[in-house]
Amino acid sequence: MGSCYYSNSIKNFIDDSEDSIFGKLSIAHAHELDELQKAAWLAQIRILKEQLIQIETGHIFFELSIPRMGKRVDNVLIIGDTIFVLEFKVGAETHEKHGKDQVIDYSLDLKNFHENSHSCKIVPILVSTEASSKDNKFAQYEDQIHHPLLINKSAIGQTLLLFTCSETESIDPYAWIQSRYKPTPTIIEAARVLYQGHSVANITRNDADAINLSLTTRCIDAIINTAKLSGHKTICFVTGVPGAGKTLAGLNIAIQRKNTHQDEHAIFLSGNGPLVDVLREALSQDEARRSKNTSEKVSKKESLRKTRSFIQNIHHFRDEYFEDKTPPVEKVVIFDEAQRAWNRAKTSEFMKAKKGIQNFGMSESEFLISVMDRHEGACTIICLIGGGQEINTGEAGLEEWFKSLKERFPHWKIFYSDLIVHDNNYVKDPALISWMESHAKAEPNLHLGVSLRSFRAEKLSAFVKSALDLKKAEAKQIYTENLRSKYPIV
């Protein structure tokens, strides 16, 4: 968990002098302290000393940092089995929506990302100090987060007492503050961290269930290195549950190989145009900003040129090498959402309409492999696959990649996630599965089985799949053992 400016038992807080508390807050702040902040802290101290006098036990934190938000909560109180999140608006006569949203966001962030808050009752409270009294709805959400309470400075004590129950087990505030904070980064946040030279382990949760992404990264790395040493052309297929970080794994490989093996010219390709644009822009902005404080300043334009070299739209790559018949400069290519490559009919239709080419005889996956096959020596293709996620007309799915390899590129070494031959969301043709099992190598670490997105229900995808496959007993077992107690499902 993040740091706080002041922490004490409620009893000791009341006994502590106003000057002592204010002094500790000021020292911890470590920035220039404006008059508005001084006045707000002094008001909070006086109000809470008066209102908490009737609370016999508990703990108080001032200015608690929630890392994910990049902000600090005015006060967190732990009393009995309940966490109270207080947002003060000193001098305010009304409860504004932005204040209400703020305290709800803090509460949700604790519930979702702070390990020792997952199963706790959390009560968000917006204190507009000069507001008139208000009727509040005393009803909890299903997820043990209470409906936000809107009160004034005189109602704090009586509101807290409504939740006090001496019969329940109390939260240990010292264990609580030391508990792990495990946020799930957005793809943009994650890409920025990777681009700064950190490993994938630095941006994922480090609990035992989430080491999967690091293992997959190491497995792919080893496959590329072996291909280089042996001079082979290699392709590997990475699968994963929704939200497991397939795109993140691909970006990690592209950035890592770009930094450590510049001769490979590793590239990340995606058909998701907006994602490509946003990633490029975010990384170039971040690099330009960070370089301002160094001797080697990088302009935004120069940084954008660098990001464009290794994050590209797959269709632009395809079109370039349709015109250019030479081997590509890239020797490591990562295809995101490779299952969405077009089939032969769709590719032929596009080539006829957009390029004026009649009777183009290859699927998109076959053409992309043929482009990399122009290399005389080693090269590697990494296909990131979402099972059953072919969503538009003409998207060929994984089978088309294997058909192309079987019919035209049998000299390529193939590595695949072992889930591919056991799950009909990927390959349905028994003959193709049999060919794969005899001509390719299964690698368990090429499957990302832990969802980073469903951070409090890692087994959610397994439950949904079992339900859709009509495996009722299996679905019931997963739900009962992993989901029922902590994740509301209708």
Side-chain angles (χ1 to χ4, degrees), residues 78-82 119-121 165-172:
I78 294 182
I79 304 172
D81 66 344
T82 306
S119 58
C120 295
K121 291 185 290 187
C165 178
S166 59
E167 296 178 3
T168 56
E169 186 177 346
S170 297
I171 299 167
D172 179 347

Side-chain angles (χ1 to χ4, degrees), residues 211-439:
I211 59 173
N212 197 192
L213 193 54
S214 294
L215 291 175
T216 299
T217 299
R218 288 201 290 270
C219 181
I220 296 170
D221 225 19
I223 288 170
I224 297 172
N225 290 335
T226 300
K228 285 181 74 174
L229 288 172
S230 63
H232 288 122
K233 294 179 174 66
T234 302
I235 187 167
C236 62
F237 296 90
V238 181
T239 58
V241 299
K246 294 183 291 295
T247 298
L248 181 57
L251 276 171
N252 183 49
I253 288 293
I255 293 171
Q256 181 178 295
R257 304 300 297 196
K258 178 186 76 70
N259 291 337
T260 57
H261 298 80
Q262 295 181 1
D263 60 310
E264 294 171 356
H265 301 282
I267 186 172
F268 175 86
L269 298 174
S270 174
N272 185 336
L275 174 65
V276 169
D277 292 340
V278 170
L279 282 172
R280 285 172 170 176
E281 184 69 20
L283 296 184
S284 59
Q285 281 185 9
D286 192 52
E287 183 178 44
R289 177 184 55 77
R290 286 186 290 110
S291 73
K292 285 181 180 178
N293 300 321
T294 68
S295 58
E296 298 180 6
K297 292 185 179 179
V298 180
S299 69
K300 166 76 182 309
K301 187 175 181 181
E302 182 184 351
S303 182
L304 190 57
R305 186 164 53 247
K306 286 167 63 179
T307 59
R308 282 175 176 162
S309 70
F310 75 94
I311 298 177
Q312 292 184 17
N313 189 304
I314 192 170
H315 303 304
H316 298 167
F317 178 88
R318 176 200 64 199
D319 293 350
E320 177 184 352
Y321 287 105
F322 180 77
E323 303 291 341
D324 184 350
K325 306 300 182 184
T326 62
V329 66
E330 297 85 5
K331 293 183 179 178
V332 173
V333 176
I334 299 106
F335 292 133
D336 195 22
E337 297 188 4
Q339 78 281 352
R340 299 184 64 183
W342 291 341
N343 60 26
R344 191 169 297 181
K346 178 72 174 179
T347 308
S348 178
E349 178 188 324
F350 172 84
M351 290 297 185
K352 181 179 179 180
K354 301 295 183 180
K355 304 292 182 182
I357 299 164
Q358 303 291 329
N359 303 317
F360 186 80
M362 285 188 278
S363 66
E364 194 170 30
S365 53
E366 184 179 349
F367 177 70
L368 291 170
I369 298 172
S370 74
V371 169
M372 295 300 289
D373 197 53
R374 297 172 190 175
H375 284 293
E376 289 187 10
C379 64
T380 302
I381 295 174
I382 298 144
C383 294
L384 310 176
I385 305 290
Q389 293 180 25
E390 305 81 51
I391 59 176
N392 291 319
T393 303
E395 293 178 352
L398 184 55
E399 287 194 354
E400 187 60 41
W401 286 90
F402 290 129
K403 285 178 184 175
S404 300
L405 289 163
K406 179 182 177 182
E407 294 169 6
R408 282 203 55 196
F409 308 102
H411 53 288
W412 278 63
K413 288 194 174 295
I414 306 166
F415 297 86
Y416 65 94
S417 154
D418 57 351
L419 193 77
I420 286 173
V421 297
H422 301 300
D423 186 337
N424 61 12
N425 273 326
Y426 296 100
V427 179
K428 296 180 173 65
D429 184 346
L432 205 52
I433 291 173
S434 178
W435 179 84
M436 284 173 55
E437 289 177 324
S438 59
H439 289 80

Side-chain angles (χ1 to χ4, degrees), residues 89-123:
K89 300 300 177 186
V90 175
E93 297 179 351
T94 57
H95 296 94
E96 299 295 334
K97 183 179 184 298
H98 70 86
K100 181 179 173 182
D101 290 343
Q102 193 176 359
V103 74
I104 292 172
D105 283 345
Y106 290 146
S107 301
L108 286 169
D109 218 59
L110 285 174
K111 169 63 72 172
N112 291 328
F113 300 125
H114 183 231
E115 195 168 48
N116 274 13
S117 298
H118 287 343
S119 58
C120 295
K121 291 185 290 187
I122 300 178
V123 180

